Amino acid sequence: EADIYQTPRYLVIGTGKKITLECSQTMGHDKMYWYQQDPGMELHLIHYSYGVNSTEKGDLSSESTVSRIRTEHFPLTLESARPSHTSQYLCASSGDPGQGKETQYFGPGTRLLVL
Amino acid sequence: QQQVKQSPQSLIVQKGGISIINCAYENTAFDYFPWYQQFPGKGPALLIAIRPDVSEKKEGRFTISFNKSAKQFSLHIMDSQPGDSATYFCAASPNSGYSTLTFGKGTMLLVSP
């Protein structure tokens, strides 16, 4: 079972608020990812990281930002939440593909509702 | 540009039947092809994966068939059960430490009792 955690699991917040979605993994994985997914719909990569101090933008443009100060922690921040940010946010991590550890392990997700 | 095309979008199969989901890719650099299963309210989880050095891989009731020349791969679920009802995503990536997975759009499978 994957050891990747996301908090909060559910968040209802008003427009204009700043929010931070937390993601932590205890597997020592260098690579971490954030996906945005509407229920039952496709996964959109919005941010990823190769390791500490590395952050990259994904395929889907997002107003969110990320940081990677510690290997195990990859938080996502929205400075000013809007109703269009309402979605499910999934965090994932993976090991070194050179060692056959390219499997991405996903957290349970954070469901965000912006009113 | 979608690099992994998945079909069908949704699928209804009777209990005991065979579920088949297909994916096609364009990038010839892809050499890792996983399938993920996602239940409502959960994150996706790896189901089975294949590399292009084999044409088929079987794990229990789940089989991946891979056709390198056609750039297609498919998931077969034998003896489908109601508990298999979930959304299935195919994906692909090159063999590079700096690559990411490209996911298909997903197939919602419903296995009727």
Side-chain angles (χ1 to χ4, degrees), chain B residues 1-2 13 15 24 27 33 35 38 41 45 47-48 51 59-60 66 68 71 77 82-83 85 87 89 102 106 108:
Chain B
Q1 179 186 3
Q2 185 191 2
V13 174
K15 179 181 176 181
N27 188 345
F33 304 90
W35 285 89
Q38 184 180 27
L47 185 63
I48 186 172
R51 292 197 180 277
E59 291 184 1
F66 182 80
K68 187 174 182 178
K71 292 187 285 186
I77 306 174
S85 298
T87 300
F89 294 93
T102 299
M108 196 174 298

Side-chain angles (χ1 to χ4, degrees), chain B residues 58-93:
Chain B
K58 184 176 182 179
E59 291 184 1
R61 295 184 294 108
F62 301 91
T63 300
I64 298 179
S65 297
F66 182 80
N67 185 331
K68 187 174 182 178
S69 61
K71 292 187 285 186
Q72 296 175 345
F73 58 110
S74 60
L75 176 69
H76 296 237
I77 306 174
M78 311 300 287
D79 186 26
S80 298
Q81 299 297 311
D84 296 330
S85 298
T87 300
Y88 293 80
F89 294 93
C90 64
S93 73

Side-chain angles (χ1 to χ4, degrees), chain A residues 48-66:
Chain A
Y48 59 101
S49 167
Y50 296 121
V52 172
N53 294 325
S54 155
T55 60
E56 304 286 344
K57 290 188 179 297
D59 304 321
L60 181 69
S61 176
S62 173
E63 296 167 345
S64 58
T65 59
V66 292

Side-chain angles (χ1 to χ4, degrees), chain A residues 31 37 50 102 104 106, chain B residues 32 36 38 51 97-99:
Chain A
K31 296 179 77 171
Q37 182 189 38
Y50 296 121
E102 61 271 282
Q104 286 193 20
F106 284 82
Chain B
Y32 172 66
Y36 282 79
Q38 184 180 27
R51 292 197 180 277
Y98 295 96
S99 61

Side-chain angles (χ1 to χ4, degrees), chain A residues 9 31 33 35 37 40-43 45 48 50 59 88 90 96-98 100 102-109 111, chain B residues 2 9 32 36 38 41-46 51 87 89 93 95-106 108:
Chain A
R9 292 292 314 278
K31 296 179 77 171
Y33 316 81
Y35 292 87
Q37 182 189 38
M41 303 295 285
E42 63 185 300
L43 295 155
L45 180 66
Y48 59 101
Y50 296 121
D59 304 321
Q88 175 169 249
L90 289 160
D96 182 359
E102 61 271 282
T103 300
Q104 286 193 20
Y105 294 93
F106 284 82
R111 298 195 79 163
Chain B
Q2 185 191 2
Q9 187 175 359
Y32 172 66
Y36 282 79
Q38 184 180 27
K42 305 283 187 181
L46 179 68
R51 292 197 180 277
T87 300
F89 294 93
S93 73
N95 183 22
S96 165
Y98 295 96
S99 61
T100 59
L101 279 174
T102 299
F103 283 90
K105 290 190 174 184
M108 196 174 298

